[in-house]
Amino acid sequence: MTRKRDWEIVTALDIGTSKVAAIVAAMDEDSRELEILGFGSSSSLGMKRGTVVNIEATVRSIHQAVGEAELMSGVQIGDVIVGISGDHVQSLNSHGIVAVGGDAVSETDMARVIEAARAVVVPSDKRVLHVLPREYVVDDQDGILDPTLMSGVRLEAHVHIITVGESAAQNIEKCVRRCDLRAERIVLEHLASGTAILTEDEMQLGCCLLDIGAGTTDIAVFEGGSIRFTHVIPIAGDQVTYDIAQSLRTPTQSAEQLKISHACALAQMVEEDKEIEVVSVGSRPPRKISQQALSRVVEPRCEELFQLVHNVLHRGGYLESAAAGVVLTGGTSAMPGMVELAEEVLNVPVRLGHAQGARGLSEVVNNPSHATGVGLLLYALKPRDQAAAAGGRSQKGGLRSLFKWFKGQF
Ligand SMILES: Nc1ncnc2c1ncn2[C@@H]1O[C@H](COP(=O)(O)OP(=O)(O)OP(=O)(O)O)[C@@H](O)[C@H]1O
Ligand SMILES: [Mg+2]
């Protein structure tokens, strides 16, 4: 076997409300290739609406997922890229201006202008997670994505700043540390999903990503090749399960099973005469109901969710400017009828997104529940953004200090 170049090992840790997933991959920064080597998953027991509510339980879930991923990949996991979401996430747009140091824009000028743009007042219970450049203006020329080496005297940066709750971020770091791991980067989950799912054209034209998980629906709007808006709605698949359990008087676990196996978000898409069995609570015998009756419970909740999304996007005028429409991902988007219902409520073209840009383990790459995990891996191919650099949270060496994986030896 011929030995190939050294590839770096990266591990993504998606601590979701329903599951914790650890994905190990080998990455080649030069060719921007990513090959998934191992995967582990466990039920998430210590999370609520995307936020840690029980440290010990979350630590156990991470341990199990990481252990499985280590076993499958044969790699000992040390550093991880972790996702974060929850209704503590907030975002704002800001801008900064500096005088260009020499006769052309240098990397130092870029760092200075981002530093100027991030100088906003952030409450002490918030942490600046990302400062994402949206566009640069050199003198009077706007719409520039990379101003390096451009001539000019004045450099302006328009950025999207994302803040998270300091304690929410610390709790994630604590859980990771207790598993003898290091949170090498913390990345906003919808940014990760967007990286994995959206095409360049969609990001350029204007597109809205909805990651509908178990506890949160994460919204990210991209336009002109960069992020414009982010928002988290603390309603997702768990509420649908709760509604089924309440309406059909069935235990939560059975409601979850019924939802995954038989629910459709649009009742009119279901055959009228198809019957399904519903487990009853206590010692009562199971009952039969029509699949359409189940979908009539599910549809109003999903419709309400899309209505909330509509209101959020419409308020900022984002729906109207999203020429490439809406892309759905996250486990709940796998429910039949979600795309059709979203199109009805949002009145724009909607598609289901699958992660792109990674190979190996197709059951992971093609599963919408793992779009965030794959996106976190792809994020490793991007340069560390200014928030991490300026915030001093990055540690020297970063990914480069990870074990090298000699691809040719396997
Ligand atoms: N085929 C399906 N039909 C309906 N719902 C599904 C299906 N498959 C998965 N789900 C739901 O998707 C949700 C899990 O999705 P996902 O793994 O994206 O969430 P998570 O990352 O754990 O949570 P979050 O991102 O909200 O913190 C669960 O509510 C589950 O019931
Ligand atoms: Mg998720």
Side-chain angles (χ1 to χ4, degrees), residues 163-404:
T163 67
V164 292
E166 180 62 43
S167 53
Q170 281 180 6
N171 284 335
I172 285 182
E173 285 167 337
K174 193 181 289 175
C175 291
V176 168
R177 242 190 345 265
R178 280 177 161 232
C179 294
D180 294 325
L181 303 167
R182 188 172 70 94
E184 201 266 337
R185 273 194 207 190
I186 300 185
V187 176
L188 185 73
E189 289 180 6
H190 11 332
L191 208 52
S193 311
T195 306
I197 282 179
L198 300 181
T199 63
E200 294 267 325
D201 286 345
E202 284 172 330
M203 286 206 191
Q204 200 64 44
L205 264 177
C207 178
C208 170
L209 176 88
L210 298 185
D211 184 336
I212 315 175
T216 61
T217 293
D218 300 338
I219 305 176
V221 177
F222 296 82
E223 202 188 315
S226 64
I227 196 147
R228 281 284 181 275
F229 173 75
T230 42
H231 189 80
V232 177
I233 298 176
I235 296 175
D238 278 353
Q239 271 70 25
V240 179
T241 304
Y242 178 80
D243 278 6
I244 296 173
Q246 289 284 315
S247 303
L248 304 183
R249 298 171 202 277
T250 189
T252 309
Q253 241 181 339
S254 316
E256 175 76 9
Q257 216 41 61
L258 271 179
K259 180 184 78 173
I260 291 178
S261 311
H262 303 291
C264 179
L266 208 54
Q268 71 197 43
M269 285 172 64
V270 178
E271 290 168 37
E272 263 176 56
D273 49 359
K274 193 167 173 213
E275 288 204 319
I276 49 176
E277 194 171 273
V278 180
V279 175
S280 298
V281 278
S283 50
R284 297 179 189 89
R287 295 151 289 145
K288 291 229 187 269
I289 63 157
S290 71
Q291 193 181 5
Q292 211 174 47
L294 171 67
S295 293
R296 277 199 296 270
V297 174
V298 170
E299 186 177 319
R301 178 57 89 182
C302 296
E303 194 177 341
E304 181 196 32
L305 174 62
F306 287 129
Q307 199 58 56
L308 286 172
V309 171
H310 178 275
N311 296 349
V312 167
L313 292 175
H314 182 66
R315 242 192 337 260
Y318 299 114
L319 211 47
E320 293 69 17
S321 61
V326 167
V327 179
L328 302 186
T329 189
T332 300
S333 68
M335 190 191 303
M338 286 296 272
V339 170
E340 292 78 0
L341 184 64
E343 276 187 339
E344 231 179 77
V345 179
L346 302 173
N347 206 19
V348 291
V350 178
R351 76 168 178 97
L352 201 58
H354 290 288
Q356 312 279 330
R359 28 172 231 259
L361 293 188
S362 57
E363 70 275 20
V364 174
V365 176
N366 295 328
N367 186 337
S369 274
H370 299 310
T372 302
V374 175
L376 289 170
L377 292 173
L378 292 167
Y379 216 82
L381 290 169
K382 287 176 178 264
R384 185 179 292 280
D385 68 58
Q386 292 295 325
R393 296 200 180 274
S394 66
Q395 294 182 22
K396 275 235 160 70
L399 287 169
R400 251 146 293 280
S401 69
L402 284 169
F403 329 109
K404 294 281 181 181

Side-chain angles (χ1 to χ4, degrees), residues 8-14 21-29 32-39 79-83 185 187 191-193 195-196 355-361 364-365 370-382 399 402:
E8 280 176 10
I9 295 293
V10 275
T11 302
L13 190 61
D14 175 13
I23 314 177
V24 185
M27 164 182 103
D28 182 38
E29 263 181 291
R32 302 183 65 78
E33 286 176 82
L34 201 72
E35 185 169 333
I36 296 177
L37 308 174
F39 167 74
D79 291 6
V80 289
I81 301 179
V82 198
R185 273 194 207 190
V187 176
L191 208 52
S193 311
T195 306
Q356 312 279 330
R359 28 172 231 259
L361 293 188
V364 174
V365 176
H370 299 310
T372 302
V374 175
L376 289 170
L377 292 173
L378 292 167
Y379 216 82
L381 290 169
K382 287 176 178 264
L399 287 169
L402 284 169

Side-chain angles (χ1 to χ4, degrees), residues 62-235:
I62 296 174
H63 249 307
Q64 192 186 332
V66 167
E68 278 179 21
E70 285 185 332
L71 207 64
M72 188 189 274
S73 61
V75 167
Q76 197 192 346
I77 297 170
D79 291 6
V80 289
I81 301 179
V82 198
I84 191 168
S85 185
D87 55 7
H88 54 90
V89 175
Q90 287 179 346
S91 65
L92 70 147
N93 290 325
S94 169
H95 80 285
I97 305 174
V98 294
V100 174
D103 53 3
V105 175
S106 65
E107 288 199 355
T108 315
D109 295 326
M110 304 256 287
R112 279 172 47 237
V113 77
I114 295 293
E115 195 56 41
R118 88 189 290 276
V120 289
V121 180
V122 176
S124 60
D125 61 343
K126 294 279 176 195
R127 176 191 297 188
V128 174
L129 186 71
H130 299 288
V131 180
L132 305 159
R134 292 164 52 207
E135 66 161 340
Y136 294 91
V137 182
V138 180
D139 293 345
D140 289 325
Q141 196 175 336
D142 59 9
I144 302 167
L145 291 181
D146 181 4
T148 322
L149 297 180
M150 287 189 68
S151 299
V153 292
R154 190 178 65 118
L155 176 65
E156 193 174 336
H158 292 260
V159 299
H160 188 66
I161 297 179
I162 292 166
T163 67
V164 292
E166 180 62 43
S167 53
Q170 281 180 6
N171 284 335
I172 285 182
E173 285 167 337
K174 193 181 289 175
C175 291
V176 168
R177 242 190 345 265
R178 280 177 161 232
C179 294
D180 294 325
L181 303 167
R182 188 172 70 94
E184 201 266 337
R185 273 194 207 190
I186 300 185
V187 176
L188 185 73
E189 289 180 6
H190 11 332
L191 208 52
S193 311
T195 306
I197 282 179
L198 300 181
T199 63
E200 294 267 325
D201 286 345
E202 284 172 330
M203 286 206 191
Q204 200 64 44
L205 264 177
C207 178
C208 170
L209 176 88
L210 298 185
D211 184 336
I212 315 175
T216 61
T217 293
D218 300 338
I219 305 176
V221 177
F222 296 82
E223 202 188 315
S226 64
I227 196 147
R228 281 284 181 275
F229 173 75
T230 42
H231 189 80
V232 177
I233 298 176
I235 296 175

